């Protein structure tokens, strides 16, 4: 049996529409190579993970060196050096007073823990999330996820979760236009608190850009308005940086674009360039509201993943990767905007840094062009490019390459995307 046949027989893939028909053998930088030796430009980074490039030498070396010394000890039962060093580094690179990290293995676990901590600190138990958001596949994270395509057949969910219309300007819930809307979607938070809760809200949770929702990019002053209302009601702000963190959007963390300070930040994906790790960080006062017995993880803060993460963050700082992502993103968005003028199927190009969404629509009513998106992705694959496809209607092509992608590779991306649209 070959790999694909073994997947069909032994790997539970019944929950995905399809696995892309590429058997990957190796990857380096922004290039993925399959078992036949065919190269692809990676524009999805294993879902926004390998920000510092596949098989980043510095990261791999750090992980190897740590593996020779210690693979596991449980970083909450004993002291582990890489865990401590990474926590110190995160306190330095995260904004505001965020200081103490709890380490997990994944994004969902990081959000779960962040929600638990928000309850613990505030003594309150309700949450407000965003429509079109995504926060993970566990019970609490699905409860605050605003998308029934992810929640279907999994309910009933946690009580006390309610949702605010997304800051999705292209499909504004209120049918208004920015800036004349005066941020109606953010101001609705006041109504949601008043009418949809019993005034016991622990936290508001949001992604700085809604990744799985379709790279929905809130207006610049959106989170300032949210912060104002949240502070008034003594509601914490939990920011989900799982997808936007670690230079992806052109800043170390996506929320830095908006000039607000989160109370708790959850992270994962890009933290260790592919080694499994997540975490949530809070200021000392909030973090210390956990009491003995309140939380733990066997693998969280694994020494190998932490050593990889330290090297990863050092690489990001040394190479000014956030600035690179910003510059490269501007170039790619500029080129994609040019294509949008030629191909009617492209409704909008949006995003920040190298987190770019191309929303595809059939007509001026903005009918989602999801089957066309699927076709474009298949053609791109044939031509040696691997973009993502997502969004609440499944019609957003996602361009999220490793941030080390070269100028020549970006030009090739544009050439292939152009050709793919010309063939449909
Ligand atoms: C914003 C966001 N939060 C949470 C998660 C869940 O992360 P994980 O798959 O590591 O559990 C994801 C995954 O795509 C995500 O994009």
């Amino acid at each position: 049996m070959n790999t694909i046949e073994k997947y069909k027989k032994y790997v539970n893939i019944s929950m995905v529409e399809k696995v892309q028909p590429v058997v990957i053998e190796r990857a380096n930088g922004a290039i993925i190579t399959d078992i036949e030796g065919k190269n692809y430009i990676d524009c999805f980074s294993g879902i926004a993970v390998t920000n510092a490039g596949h098989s980043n030498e510095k990261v791999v070396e750090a992980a190897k060196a740590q593996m020779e010394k210690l693979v596991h000890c449980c970083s909450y039962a004993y002291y582990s050096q890489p865990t401590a060093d990474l926590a110190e580094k995160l306190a330095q690179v995260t904004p505001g007073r965020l200081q103490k990290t709890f380490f997990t293995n994944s994004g969902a676990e990081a959000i779960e823990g962040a929600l638990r901590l928000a309850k613990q600190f505030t003594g309150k138990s309700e949450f407000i999330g965003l429509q079109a958001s995504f926060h993970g596949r566990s019970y609490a994270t699905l409860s605050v996820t605003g998308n029934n395509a992810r929640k279907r057949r999994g309910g009933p969910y946690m009580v006390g979760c309610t949702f605010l219309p997304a800051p999705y300007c292209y499909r504004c819930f209120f049918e208004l236009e920015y800036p004349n809307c005066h941020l109606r979607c953010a101001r609705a938070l006041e109504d949601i608190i008043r009418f949809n809760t019993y005034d016991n809200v622990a936290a508001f949770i949001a992604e700085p850009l809604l990744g799985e929702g379709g790279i929905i990019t809130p207006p610049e002053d959106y989170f300032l308005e949210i912060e104002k209302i949240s502070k008034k009601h003594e509601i914490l702000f939990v920011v989900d940086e799982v997808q936007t963190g670690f230079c992806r959007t052109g800043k170390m963390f996506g929320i830095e674009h908006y000039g607000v300070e989160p109370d708790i930040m959850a992270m994962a994906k890009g933290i260790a360039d592919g080694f499994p790790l997540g975490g949530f960080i809070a200021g000392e006062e909030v973090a210390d509201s956990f009491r003995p017995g309140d939380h733990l993880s066997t693998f969280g803060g694994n020494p190998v993943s932490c050593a990889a993460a330290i090297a990863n963050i050092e690489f990001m700082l040394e190479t000014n990767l956030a600035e690179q992502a910003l510059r490269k993103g501007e170039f790619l968005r500029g080129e994609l905007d040019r294509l949008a003028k030629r191909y009617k199927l492209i409704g909008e190009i949006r995003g920040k840094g190298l987190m770019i969404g191309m929303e595809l629509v059939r007509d001026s009513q903005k009918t989602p062009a999801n089957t066309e998106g699927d076709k474009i992705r298949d053609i791109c694959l044939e031509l040696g490019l691997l973009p993502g496809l997502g969004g609440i209607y499944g019609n957003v092509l996602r361009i999220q390459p490793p941030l080390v992608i070269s100028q020549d590779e970006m030009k090739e991306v544009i050439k292939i995307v152009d050709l793919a649209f010309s063939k449909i």
Side-chain angles (χ1 to χ4, degrees):
M1 259 191 274
N2 67 26
T3 301
I4 294 178
E5 287 160 354
K6 283 184 191 170
Y7 253 63
K8 284 189 178 142
K9 192 161 167 69
Y10 297 116
V11 182
N12 189 344
I13 49 171
S14 55
M15 78 300 290
V16 287
E17 215 60 74
K18 72 173 175 196
V19 177
Q20 293 300 299
V22 184
V23 183
I24 297 175
E25 188 176 72
R26 57 182 63 240
N28 195 276
I31 300 296
I32 282 176
T33 309
D34 74 9
I35 47 169
E36 261 107 47
K38 177 173 173 178
N39 285 339
Y40 301 84
I41 303 177
D42 182 13
C43 271
F44 207 23
S45 306
I47 321 190
V49 169
T50 52
N51 293 3
H54 289 280
S55 311
N56 181 294
E57 211 174 301
K58 192 175 165 104
V59 175
V60 171
E61 283 309 315
K64 274 189 196 162
Q66 181 57 42
M67 264 157 57
E68 302 280 339
K69 289 194 280 185
L70 173 73
V71 172
H72 176 78
C73 64
C74 183
S75 302
Y76 296 102
Y78 305 97
Y79 295 108
S80 135
Q81 283 176 324
T83 313
D85 293 343
L86 175 59
E88 181 187 31
K89 197 155 253 11
L90 288 172
Q92 290 161 358
V93 299
T94 50
R97 289 157 299 156
L98 299 175
Q99 186 188 322
K100 289 189 172 181
T101 303
F102 181 93
F103 290 105
T104 66
N105 308 288
S106 68
E109 278 176 82
I111 301 290
E112 283 274 346
L115 298 178
R116 173 79 193 260
L117 182 61
K119 278 186 172 178
Q120 216 85 358
F121 179 72
T122 59
K124 299 192 274 184
S125 60
E126 293 184 282
F127 294 101
I128 301 177
L130 285 179
Q131 293 176 0
S133 63
F134 179 73
H135 298 293
R137 301 292 191 155
S138 60
Y139 180 62
T141 59
L142 275 176
S143 300
V144 293
T145 287
N147 184 359
N148 74 13
R150 301 287 165 267
K151 299 167 85 161
R152 198 170 289 135
R153 301 199 298 148
Y157 288 97
M158 211 164 75
V159 293
C161 298
T162 190
F163 298 90
L164 186 66
Y168 193 176
C169 296
Y170 188 64
R171 296 180 188 275
C172 176
F173 182 88
F174 298 97
E175 300 188 350
L176 296 170
E177 248 179 64
Y178 181 82
N180 295 334
C181 60
H182 302 294
L183 292 171
R184 182 71 189 86
C185 59
R187 287 185 290 116
L189 181 57
E190 192 76 65
D191 302 324
I192 296 286
I193 295 166
R194 183 174 304 134
F195 301 119
N196 295 29
T197 74
Y198 53 96
D199 207 11
N200 195 39
V201 182
F204 171 80
I205 176 166
E207 305 152 75
L209 280 79
L210 288 70
E212 302 303 301
I215 322 286
I216 297 170
T217 309
E220 268 166 31
D221 43 355
Y222 176 76
F223 284 106
L224 282 170
E225 187 63 29
I226 292 286
E227 184 182 55
K228 201 168 78 190
I229 301 168
S230 300
K231 284 226 159 92
K232 186 172 135 200
H233 293 272
E234 297 181 349
I235 294 171
L236 298 187
F237 175 30
V238 175
V239 71
D240 180 346
E241 291 273 6
V242 169
Q243 187 159 157
T244 46
F246 299 98
C247 305
R248 172 59 53 193
T249 68
K251 301 262 187 202
M252 184 58 85
F253 295 98
I255 200 64
E256 292 175 71
H257 289 284
Y258 298 93
V260 299
E261 216 180 279
D263 298 293
I264 306 174
M265 176 190 282
M267 55 190 107
K269 289 192 189 279
I271 189 171
D273 205 36
F275 286 86
L277 185 66
F280 55 97
I281 183 168
E284 195 164 21
E285 198 192 348
V286 176
D288 288 350
S289 60
F290 271 158
R291 292 282 172 267
D294 284 348
H295 211 57
L296 204 97
S297 166
T298 301
F299 290 123
N302 170 269
V304 179
S305 292
C306 286
I310 294 166
N312 181 44
I313 296 169
E314 280 170 359
F315 175 84
M316 288 175 172
L317 296 173
E318 281 160 16
T319 57
N320 214 347
L321 200 62
E323 175 64 29
Q324 283 193 51
L326 205 62
R327 230 178 348 91
K328 292 174 184 178
E330 273 164 21
F331 170 77
L332 272 184
R333 278 204 311 283
E335 293 296 304
L336 293 172
D337 271 331
R338 273 195 320 107
L339 295 187
K341 289 196 176 75
R342 292 199 359 243
Y343 300 108
K344 281 206 172 62
L345 195 58
I346 305 175
E348 185 179 62
I349 305 291
R350 56 178 176 255
K352 288 185 189 295
L354 284 172
M355 185 164 178
I356 301 174
M358 304 173 70
E359 177 149 1
L360 309 187
V361 291
R362 283 187 196 135
D363 47 39
S364 55
Q365 275 76 52
K366 301 181 181 173
T367 309
N370 50 348
T371 46
E372 293 85 338
D374 219 23
K375 274 191 206 142
I376 297 270
R377 182 165 61 166
D378 287 349
I379 300 169
C380 284
L381 188 142
E382 288 276 303
L383 297 170
L385 178 72
L386 301 174
L389 183 68
I392 49 174
Y393 302 107
N395 65 330
V396 179
L397 278 171
R398 295 167 59 176
I399 309 290
Q400 298 176 265
L403 312 179
V404 295
I405 189 170
S406 71
Q407 186 70 17
D408 283 348
E409 286 161 348
M410 286 195 294
K411 284 184 184 158
E412 190 62 19
V413 169
I414 296 299
K415 221 164 85 184
I416 293 176
V417 171
D418 190 352
L419 194 55
F421 274 92
S422 73
K423 282 173 181 274
I424 191 164

